[in-house]
Amino acid sequence: MAEKSVLSLRGRNPDVLTCIANLSNDEVFTPPDVANQMLDGIAEAWAGSHRGDNIWADKHVTFLDPFTKSGVFLREITKRLVDGLESQMPDLQRRVNHVLTKQVFGIAITELTALLARRSVYCSKWASQGHSICRRFNDDSGNIWFEPRQHTWVGGHETIVTADGEGNTIEVTVDGKCSFCGASQKVLDRPTGLESHAYALIHTDSPTDLVAKAFGDNMQFDVIIGNPPYQLEDGGYGTSARPIYQLFVRAAKALEPRFLSMITPSRWFAGGKGLDDFRDEMLKDHRMAALVDYPKLFDAFPGVKIRGGVSHFLWSRDHDGPCRVQTMWDSEPVGSPTRRYLDEFDVLVRRNEAVPILHKVNARGEPTLDARVSSRKPFGLATNYEGKRTPVGMKKPVRLFANQRIAWIEDVDIPAKREWVDDWKVLTTAVQGTSAAVETMFLSKPIIAGPGEACTETYLVAGRFGSREEAERYAAYLRTRFVRFLISLRKATQHATRDVYSFVPDLPMDQVWDEASLYARYELADDEISFIEETVKPMDAPQQGEAD
């Protein structure tokens, strides 16, 4: 028992990796229970394709975490292998030496995480020194490799005159983008010694060559698993950031493992900024064997706000078929897991219970509201447009719905769609969402704007009509749980752009559509109605001109 305690953290309360603070929302440490859930999925898939064999009892299987942070994946893999190989290698030290030198490998994302991961796996930040539990390493890195990288700046236009390393005068750009990850030069072009977030796996033309340099020419991994960095500031307005986790997924696939399991934000389900191509790739890839989704904020990563939630997937090189989809809620499975093809729709419908409802709606072949809803900035006026406080002195004043206030603008000064001003309009905010752990509204209260009224970029024009009666009926339609449920299926973040209306039928406004008439029209069953009403809260009718 004393011999085994060298590797065991189970007797320590609490586990240090459940307490460590995250570096940032971009570099999130994975809780051990989530890492183990992913490893359980790997073990199940391995057994299914290897006649029930136990992956943890196979001394030849190799594992790589190519974006190691805390080392939690490598630590948990090591524990499992040391236990699983006991009958084959009774001597603990020999077993530990074999697992850590032949089976478990990592590429750290920074020098700090390299030290942290080695401490987690080897019980020493230096793999070859006295406190290390492995006695066979000849260098301090062991099999957790890190080498600083630099961004490759291209496309810049703004230049400065400086000196190179030899003192020669040179002219360099300062506003380029990295050709590998798209990082902003102005944000991340930092002096030597400061972290530039130029992660090794995605700053190379050949991930295979990178692995060969780190671990040897003939290194091939059976399992790649981990939690990549999620985004980088891109130099845009405010806190604008560019997703980069999709680059890690592609690089990992290029290494041709048997199995790949990664946890990422779920925003890719609906695409969006930099993710449309990646969404299409993932949905059409029938090697996706399993997907576990955490829609609830803070669920998988307590204390970390990742809008739209997170999910982890299992990709199998030899799988060709439907994907097993499971939703988690409060860290427990909810509903039944369902095997389905992810590319049935142009976005991933994340709840299995929603799929048959959407089938019934689509079966009627009706046009959808995305053709009716305006694009962003419908009248060409930015969110920060101030306008006038009063219409005094204007020849033809237009009342303007701006950001939480009313302003005024001269009709002739409206940059776009002036012909819409005289219509009856229904407005919705372009952003809808709160900091709550669970979104339940999905759409702001529709605002009825009459002739002589317009809006800034804060709002979209959800529909235009010739009469107030039609506008009121349309606003009532948007307030129904049915409509907002269909919006929820495409809405992965707080942004409520035109695209989120693409599942909503564009029905004639010659009658009032309420919940009962909509449920009857699409022949929804009682359990389907209950699911909609559990997902979406009712919305009260606003007064004319009332903002949400």
Side-chain angles (χ1 to χ4, degrees):
M1 293 296 292
E3 186 183 34
K4 287 191 175 183
S5 68
V6 175
L7 280 175
S8 177
L9 288 175
R10 295 186 179 91
R12 303 185 185 186
N13 187 21
D15 178 350
V16 66
L17 296 189
T18 66
C19 306
I20 193 167
N22 290 296
L23 298 177
S24 67
N25 278 13
D26 309 337
E27 298 166 356
V28 179
F29 291 133
T30 311
D33 57 341
V34 175
N36 276 299
Q37 183 185 108
M38 295 168 66
L39 291 172
D40 288 344
I42 291 286
E44 181 181 350
W46 182 273
S49 60
H50 290 79
R51 299 181 180 179
D53 288 352
N54 178 9
I55 191 173
W56 314 117
D58 191 326
K59 65 181 181 180
H60 300 294
V61 180
T62 52
F63 300 82
L64 172 69
D65 178 352
F67 11 82
T68 300
K69 295 186 284 293
S70 69
V72 64
F73 288 99
L74 302 182
R75 188 193 73 174
E76 298 304 310
I77 290 167
T78 299
K79 284 183 187 178
R80 291 171 179 237
L81 289 170
V82 168
D83 288 345
L85 293 172
E86 184 174 10
S87 63
Q88 299 175 52
M89 300 180 189
D91 181 78
L92 177 61
Q93 188 60 65
R94 180 182 169 224
R95 202 156 71 244
V96 170
N97 291 343
H98 173 84
V99 168
L100 294 180
T101 60
K102 303 295 185 183
Q103 294 189 265
V104 177
F105 300 80
I107 297 174
I109 62 171
T110 66
E111 184 174 7
L112 174 62
T113 62
L115 296 173
L116 178 58
R118 291 182 199 124
R119 181 65 181 81
S120 298
V121 179
Y122 307 139
C123 298
S124 171
K125 64 181 180 180
W126 307 121
S128 62
Q129 297 190 21
H131 293 291
S132 174
I133 60 174
C134 181
R135 306 301 186 203
R136 290 291 182 267
F137 286 124
N138 296 318
D139 65 87
D140 287 341
S141 294
N143 278 336
I144 299 177
W145 180 86
F146 173 73
E147 181 181 279
R149 293 279 167 136
Q150 297 298 320
H151 295 283
T152 301
W153 307 118
V154 296
H157 302 287
E158 183 181 339
T159 62
I160 61 170
V161 176
T162 185
D164 63 18
E166 298 178 355
N168 301 312
T169 298
I170 57 173
E171 187 175 71
V172 297
T173 62
V174 296
D175 62 337
K177 298 286 185 182
C178 177
S179 61
F180 288 106
C181 71
S184 165
Q185 186 175 9
K186 286 189 174 181
V187 175
L188 289 175
D189 191 5
R190 297 172 174 173
T192 302
L194 296 180
E195 178 55 51
S196 65
H197 303 283
Y199 305 116
L201 189 69
I202 60 172
H203 285 77
T204 175
D205 290 321
S206 173
T208 302
D209 289 347
L210 177 77
V211 166
K213 177 181 179 181
F215 306 117
D217 289 337
N218 298 319
M219 199 68 231
Q220 178 67 40
F221 296 101
D222 297 296
V223 177
I224 295 179
I225 188 168
N227 178 13
Y230 294 161
Q231 61 187 31
L232 287 177
E233 292 181 50
D234 61 8
Y237 177 76
T239 59
S240 177
R242 179 187 185 94
I244 58 171
Y245 55 89
Q246 73 279 11
L247 305 180
F248 288 97
V249 176
R250 289 167 174 156
K253 287 183 178 180
L255 294 174
E256 300 182 343
R258 292 189 187 184
F259 296 100
L260 168 63
S261 184
M262 289 172 56
I263 185 166
T264 71
S266 294
R267 293 183 65 162
W268 68 264
F269 292 179
K273 187 174 184 179
L275 294 171
D276 286 347
D277 289 344
F278 178 68
R279 173 199 60 200
D280 293 344
E281 291 170 18
M282 293 290 279
L283 297 186
K284 293 174 182 176
D285 191 343
H286 292 177
R287 293 169 294 181
M288 289 282 285
L291 180 69
V292 179
D293 182 28
Y294 292 81
K296 188 176 180 181
L297 202 64
F298 307 122
D299 200 353
F301 298 139
V304 183
K305 183 184 290 186
I306 302 176
R307 290 191 181 277
V310 300
S311 56
H312 56 82
F313 66 84
L314 174 63
W315 176 96
S316 172
R317 182 187 66 191
D318 301 321
H319 178 74
D320 183 9
C323 179
R324 183 180 184 271
V325 180
Q326 174 68 67
T327 301
M328 304 292 287
W329 201 265
D330 292 330
S331 299
E332 296 293 334
V334 60
S336 300
T338 301
R339 294 190 181 277
R340 54 189 171 98
Y341 285 100
L342 302 183
D343 57 349
E344 181 177 7
F345 308 103
D346 64 321
V347 299
L348 178 59
V349 176
R350 57 199 305 181
R351 289 297 297 266
N352 295 324
E353 301 93 325
V355 173
I357 298 174
L358 191 53
H359 285 162
K360 290 181 177 181
V361 173
N362 287 348
R364 298 185 68 100
E366 295 162 330
T368 51
L369 284 189
D370 54 309
R372 183 186 288 271
V373 178
S374 73
S375 59
R376 60 182 290 270
K377 203 182 294 186
F379 291 94
L381 299 169
T383 295
N384 60 358
Y385 179 80
E386 294 186 359
K388 301 291 185 180
R389 294 186 177 181
T390 71
V392 176
M394 291 185 175
K395 294 181 179 179
K396 189 178 179 182
V398 174
R399 188 171 183 259
L400 200 63
F401 289 89
N403 188 16
Q404 298 182 344
R405 61 190 174 85
I406 296 296
W408 296 85
I409 186 175
E410 191 73 68
D411 178 83
V412 296
D413 293 332
I414 294 177
K417 304 298 183 184
R418 285 172 57 196
E419 67 273 17
W420 290 7
V421 171
D422 292 330
D423 293 332
W424 283 91
K425 297 164 289 289
V426 176
L427 311 181
T428 56
T429 57
V431 174
Q432 164 62 31
T434 69
S435 296
V438 183
E439 186 174 1
T440 56
M441 300 304 287
F442 303 106
L443 193 67
S444 65
K445 289 182 181 179
I447 297 171
I448 296 176
E453 296 180 324
C455 65
T456 67
E457 186 183 9
T458 299
Y459 300 90
L460 300 181
V461 176
R464 297 179 294 112
F465 302 92
S467 70
R468 176 173 179 169
E469 183 180 28
E470 285 182 296
E472 289 178 341
R473 287 176 176 173
Y474 184 70
Y477 179 53
L478 295 183
R479 289 194 300 271
T480 63
R481 282 169 154 170
F482 174 81
V483 166
R484 289 182 290 122
F485 172 77
L486 294 175
I487 285 173
S488 78
L489 303 185
R490 301 186 70 95
K491 189 172 180 290
T493 69
Q494 70 269 37
H495 297 288
T497 55
R498 176 168 59 187
D499 178 71
V500 305
Y501 295 81
S502 298
F503 286 153
V504 182
D506 188 356
L507 301 181
M509 291 297 117
D510 56 358
Q511 69 175 84
V512 176
W513 295 101
D514 59 13
E515 307 290 4
S517 60
L518 290 167
Y519 295 157
R521 180 180 181 85
Y522 297 102
E523 300 179 352
L524 300 189
D526 289 346
D527 61 329
E528 294 169 334
I529 294 171
S530 295
F531 179 65
I532 290 174
E533 297 190 347
E534 289 168 2
T535 304
V536 186
K537 280 189 174 180
M539 179 183 287
D540 296 331
Q543 300 298 315
Q544 181 180 348
E546 178 189 32
D548 187 20

